[in-house]
Amino acid sequence: MGKTTLVGAVSEIVPLRTEALVTNASAGIDSLAGIESKSTTTVAMDFGRISLADDLVLYLFGTPGQYRFWFMWDDLIRGAIGAVVLIDTRRLEDSFAAVDYFEARNLPFLVALNQFDDAPQYPIEDIRQALAVPADVPIMPIDARRREPAKEALVRLTEYALQKVTRGY
Ligand SMILES: Nc1nc2c(ncn2[C@@H]2O[C@H](COP(=O)(O)OP(=O)(O)O)[C@@H](O)[C@H]2O)c(=O)[nH]1
Ligand SMILES: [Mg+2]
C-alpha cells in the first residue's frame, strides 16, 4: 500500500492513475487480512515523472506486487534504473516474492517501509533479516504522503544503482 500515494507525492506531472475495485472475482486471491478498512487495491498502474537534476529524469511506474501482475514487471524492468519495494509491515510476507524477483534479475532495488500509524514498528535490521535482503540493499522508512522523504528514497535508489553499475556488478 502507498504506491499511488508515493507516485502522486513526488511526480511533477499530473500522475496517470488506473485504479479498480477489488471485487468478488479476486476474493480468496487478494487477502485483505489485516487491512479490512481498505476497500480498493491497485489493479493497474501509476505513472509519474521526477527530475532529480537537469540531466536526470526518472519515470515512475507503480505496479502491484501480486504475482498475477508480474507480466507487467517483465517489461518494466527493461532499461529500468531500479525498483522500490514498498513494504507494509502489517503484511511483510506479501513482499517476499517481490524481493526474490528483483534479486533473481539483478535489478537494483531499495526497500521502503511505509509507516502506517497502526503498523508494527520493527528495527530495520529485523526487517532485513525477515525479508532476507542482502546487507548492501538500502532499507528506508518513508512516509509516502510526503514529497521529501519519498524523493529521498528515489535519490538513494539512483545512487545505489549507479554504484552497482560503476562497480561492475
Ligand atoms: N500513514 C500513512 N498512510 C499512508 C502512507 N502511504 C499511503 N497511505 C494511505 O494508505 C491508503 C492507500 O494508499 P495507496 O497509495 O492508494 O495504496 P496503493 O494501493 O499501493 O496504491 C491511502 O489512504 C493513503 O493515504 C504512509 O506512508 N503513511
Ligand atoms: Mg494504487
Side-chain angles (χ1 to χ4, degrees):
M1 266 166 69
K3 299 177 296 294
T4 299
T5 307
L6 175 65
V7 173
V10 296
S11 182
E12 62 211 4
I13 57 171
V14 177
L16 202 60
R17 289 178 184 151
T18 36
E19 193 109 4
L21 281 172
V22 176
T23 63
N24 287 336
S26 64
I29 299 171
D30 283 325
S31 152
L32 288 176
I35 52 161
E36 283 79 5
S37 61
K38 191 168 188 289
S39 57
T40 65
T41 192
T42 310
V43 298
M45 199 185 295
D46 302 293
F47 174 73
R49 187 188 72 197
I50 181 170
S51 308
L52 298 182
D54 285 347
D55 58 351
L56 184 54
V57 176
L58 299 186
Y59 291 89
L60 310 168
F61 300 89
T63 61
Q66 295 100 323
Y67 176 72
R68 66 204 157 93
F69 298 112
W70 281 14
F71 68 93
M72 293 195 283
W73 299 13
D74 291 336
D75 288 327
L76 288 172
I77 63 167
R78 286 174 219 252
I81 286 178
V84 173
V85 179
L86 193 56
I87 282 180
D88 184 340
T89 53
R90 295 168 299 185
R91 300 176 60 178
L92 210 53
E93 68 280 6
D94 288 3
S95 308
F96 294 160
V99 166
D100 287 347
Y101 178 94
F102 295 120
E103 271 208 280
R105 286 156 186 82
N106 212 15
L107 188 76
F109 68 98
L110 169 150
V111 174
L113 302 174
N114 229 338
Q115 302 281 337
F116 290 97
D117 303 330
D118 59 339
Q121 308 252 333
Y122 303 109
I124 289 208
E125 285 317 308
D126 289 5
I127 303 248
R128 186 183 300 282
Q129 246 187 359
L131 292 175
V133 167
D136 68 311
V137 172
I139 302 184
M140 300 174 66
I142 66 159
D143 185 330
R145 298 165 300 182
R146 292 176 48 224
R147 181 176 162 87
E148 279 316 309
K151 184 176 170 184
E152 220 165 275
L154 296 173
V155 170
R156 184 78 192 85
L157 172 65
T158 307
E159 288 169 351
Y160 173 67
L162 276 171
Q163 252 173 35
K164 291 199 97 158
V165 169
T166 53
R167 283 185 196 159
Y169 66 97

mmCIF file of all heavy atoms in Angstrom, residues 1-5 38 42 114-117 143-145, ligand 1:
data_model
loop_
_atom_site.group_PDB
_atom_site.id
_atom_site.type_symbol
_atom_site.label_atom_id
_atom_site.label_comp_id
_atom_site.label_asym_id
_atom_site.label_seq_id
_atom_site.Cartn_x
_atom_site.Cartn_y
_atom_site.Cartn_z
ATOM 1 N N MET A 1 0.820 -1.211 0.000
ATOM 2 C CA MET A 1 0.000 0.000 0.000
ATOM 3 C C MET A 1 0.846 1.250 0.000
ATOM 4 O O MET A 1 1.895 1.291 0.610
ATOM 5 C CB MET A 1 -0.890 0.022 1.260
ATOM 6 C CG MET A 1 -2.247 -0.565 1.000
ATOM 7 S SD MET A 1 -3.117 -0.899 2.521
ATOM 8 C CE MET A 1 -3.436 0.750 3.107
ATOM 9 N N GLY A 2 0.383 2.259 -0.691
ATOM 10 C CA GLY A 2 1.089 3.524 -0.730
ATOM 11 C C GLY A 2 1.683 3.849 -2.086
ATOM 12 O O GLY A 2 2.289 4.904 -2.262
ATOM 13 N N LYS A 3 1.524 2.957 -3.050
ATOM 14 C CA LYS A 3 2.146 3.179 -4.361
ATOM 15 C C LYS A 3 1.577 4.414 -5.056
ATOM 16 O O LYS A 3 2.332 5.279 -5.504
ATOM 17 C CB LYS A 3 1.933 1.948 -5.263
ATOM 18 C CG LYS A 3 2.546 0.675 -4.712
ATOM 19 C CD LYS A 3 2.242 -0.520 -5.586
ATOM 20 C CE LYS A 3 0.778 -0.871 -5.682
ATOM 21 N NZ LYS A 3 0.186 -1.334 -4.412
ATOM 22 N N THR A 4 0.245 4.503 -5.105
ATOM 23 C CA THR A 4 -0.386 5.654 -5.745
ATOM 24 C C THR A 4 -0.020 6.933 -5.000
ATOM 25 O O THR A 4 0.286 7.963 -5.608
ATOM 26 C CB THR A 4 -1.923 5.456 -5.770
ATOM 27 O OG1 THR A 4 -2.204 4.273 -6.523
ATOM 28 C CG2 THR A 4 -2.622 6.636 -6.422
ATOM 29 N N THR A 5 -0.010 6.838 -3.671
ATOM 30 C CA THR A 5 0.334 7.985 -2.836
ATOM 31 C C THR A 5 1.769 8.434 -3.114
ATOM 32 O O THR A 5 2.037 9.625 -3.268
ATOM 33 C CB THR A 5 0.190 7.604 -1.346
ATOM 34 O OG1 THR A 5 -1.111 7.072 -1.139
ATOM 35 C CG2 THR A 5 0.421 8.800 -0.448
ATOM 36 N N LYS A 38 -9.448 -1.143 4.008
ATOM 37 C CA LYS A 38 -9.116 -0.740 2.656
ATOM 38 C C LYS A 38 -10.038 -1.459 1.682
ATOM 39 O O LYS A 38 -10.036 -2.667 1.610
ATOM 40 C CB LYS A 38 -7.653 -1.082 2.358
ATOM 41 C CG LYS A 38 -7.139 -0.479 1.074
ATOM 42 C CD LYS A 38 -5.624 -0.627 1.003
ATOM 43 C CE LYS A 38 -5.021 0.133 -0.161
ATOM 44 N NZ LYS A 38 -5.310 -0.464 -1.463
ATOM 45 N N THR A 42 -4.764 -1.423 -5.941
ATOM 46 C CA THR A 42 -4.351 -1.085 -7.285
ATOM 47 C C THR A 42 -4.403 -2.319 -8.149
ATOM 48 O O THR A 42 -3.839 -3.345 -7.794
ATOM 49 C CB THR A 42 -2.912 -0.555 -7.265
ATOM 50 O OG1 THR A 42 -2.832 0.450 -6.267
ATOM 51 C CG2 THR A 42 -2.527 0.024 -8.606
ATOM 52 N N ASN A 114 6.738 1.703 4.546
ATOM 53 C CA ASN A 114 5.634 2.626 4.728
ATOM 54 C C ASN A 114 5.239 2.597 6.189
ATOM 55 O O ASN A 114 4.897 1.551 6.713
ATOM 56 C CB ASN A 114 4.463 2.146 3.871
ATOM 57 C CG ASN A 114 3.908 3.256 3.053
ATOM 58 O OD1 ASN A 114 4.091 4.415 3.383
ATOM 59 N ND2 ASN A 114 3.227 2.908 2.004
ATOM 60 N N GLN A 115 5.279 3.723 6.846
ATOM 61 C CA GLN A 115 4.996 3.744 8.281
ATOM 62 C C GLN A 115 3.542 4.096 8.536
ATOM 63 O O GLN A 115 3.213 5.255 8.738
ATOM 64 C CB GLN A 115 5.910 4.770 8.973
ATOM 65 C CG GLN A 115 7.390 4.504 8.780
ATOM 66 C CD GLN A 115 7.914 3.415 9.701
ATOM 67 O OE1 GLN A 115 7.339 3.152 10.742
ATOM 68 N NE2 GLN A 115 8.999 2.777 9.320
ATOM 69 N N PHE A 116 2.698 3.092 8.521
ATOM 70 C CA PHE A 116 1.303 3.339 8.856
ATOM 71 C C PHE A 116 1.169 3.428 10.366
ATOM 72 O O PHE A 116 1.886 2.753 11.099
ATOM 73 C CB PHE A 116 0.411 2.234 8.294
ATOM 74 C CG PHE A 116 0.311 2.290 6.802
ATOM 75 C CD1 PHE A 116 1.121 1.484 6.007
ATOM 76 C CD2 PHE A 116 -0.565 3.168 6.198
ATOM 77 C CE1 PHE A 116 1.041 1.555 4.630
ATOM 78 C CE2 PHE A 116 -0.640 3.244 4.821
ATOM 79 C CZ PHE A 116 0.157 2.446 4.037
ATOM 80 N N ASP A 117 0.259 4.284 10.794
ATOM 81 C CA ASP A 117 0.162 4.594 12.225
ATOM 82 C C ASP A 117 -0.077 3.349 13.077
ATOM 83 O O ASP A 117 0.481 3.216 14.156
ATOM 84 C CB ASP A 117 -0.950 5.621 12.465
ATOM 85 C CG ASP A 117 -0.698 6.892 11.641
ATOM 86 O OD1 ASP A 117 0.497 7.189 11.395
ATOM 87 O OD2 ASP A 117 -1.670 7.543 11.236
ATOM 88 N N ASP A 143 7.448 8.127 4.464
ATOM 89 C CA ASP A 143 6.035 8.457 4.517
ATOM 90 C C ASP A 143 5.664 8.805 3.089
ATOM 91 O O ASP A 143 6.075 9.837 2.566
ATOM 92 C CB ASP A 143 5.797 9.643 5.455
ATOM 93 C CG ASP A 143 4.298 9.924 5.614
ATOM 94 O OD1 ASP A 143 3.530 9.658 4.676
ATOM 95 O OD2 ASP A 143 3.911 10.410 6.696
ATOM 96 N N ALA A 144 4.931 7.900 2.461
ATOM 97 C CA ALA A 144 4.643 8.053 1.034
ATOM 98 C C ALA A 144 3.833 9.313 0.747
ATOM 99 O O ALA A 144 3.753 9.756 -0.385
ATOM 100 C CB ALA A 144 3.897 6.829 0.516
ATOM 101 N N ARG A 145 3.237 9.886 1.785
ATOM 102 C CA ARG A 145 2.408 11.071 1.573
ATOM 103 C C ARG A 145 3.227 12.336 1.458
ATOM 104 O O ARG A 145 2.747 13.364 1.021
ATOM 105 C CB ARG A 145 1.408 11.225 2.732
ATOM 106 C CG ARG A 145 0.443 10.063 2.847
ATOM 107 C CD ARG A 145 -0.250 10.069 4.175
ATOM 108 N NE ARG A 145 0.717 9.965 5.284
ATOM 109 C CZ ARG A 145 0.380 9.909 6.558
ATOM 110 N NH1 ARG A 145 -0.888 9.963 6.901
ATOM 111 N NH2 ARG A 145 1.303 9.803 7.491
HETATM 112 N N1 LIG B 1 0.097 6.754 7.466
HETATM 113 C C1 LIG B 1 0.396 6.564 6.171
HETATM 114 N N2 LIG B 1 -0.620 6.360 5.305
HETATM 115 C C2 LIG B 1 -0.303 6.159 4.003
HETATM 116 C C3 LIG B 1 1.042 6.157 3.551
HETATM 117 N N3 LIG B 1 1.040 5.891 2.215
HETATM 118 C C4 LIG B 1 -0.243 5.742 1.857
HETATM 119 N N4 LIG B 1 -1.065 5.922 2.915
HETATM 120 C C5 LIG B 1 -2.545 5.805 2.895
HETATM 121 O O1 LIG B 1 -2.882 4.454 2.585
HETATM 122 C C6 LIG B 1 -4.004 4.392 1.722
HETATM 123 C C7 LIG B 1 -3.677 3.551 0.472
HETATM 124 O O2 LIG B 1 -2.642 4.155 -0.254
HETATM 125 P P1 LIG B 1 -2.484 3.969 -1.848
HETATM 126 O O3 LIG B 1 -1.393 4.865 -2.268
HETATM 127 O O4 LIG B 1 -3.800 4.153 -2.510
HETATM 128 O O5 LIG B 1 -2.041 2.452 -1.945
HETATM 129 P P2 LIG B 1 -1.804 1.573 -3.281
HETATM 130 O O6 LIG B 1 -2.888 0.583 -3.309
HETATM 131 O O7 LIG B 1 -0.479 0.904 -3.075
HETATM 132 O O8 LIG B 1 -1.787 2.462 -4.465
HETATM 133 C C8 LIG B 1 -4.356 5.836 1.409
HETATM 134 O O9 LIG B 1 -5.461 6.190 2.216
HETATM 135 C C9 LIG B 1 -3.140 6.633 1.799
HETATM 136 O O10 LIG B 1 -3.477 7.929 2.246
HETATM 137 C C10 LIG B 1 2.090 6.386 4.511
HETATM 138 O O11 LIG B 1 3.290 6.385 4.194
HETATM 139 N N5 LIG B 1 1.703 6.587 5.805
#
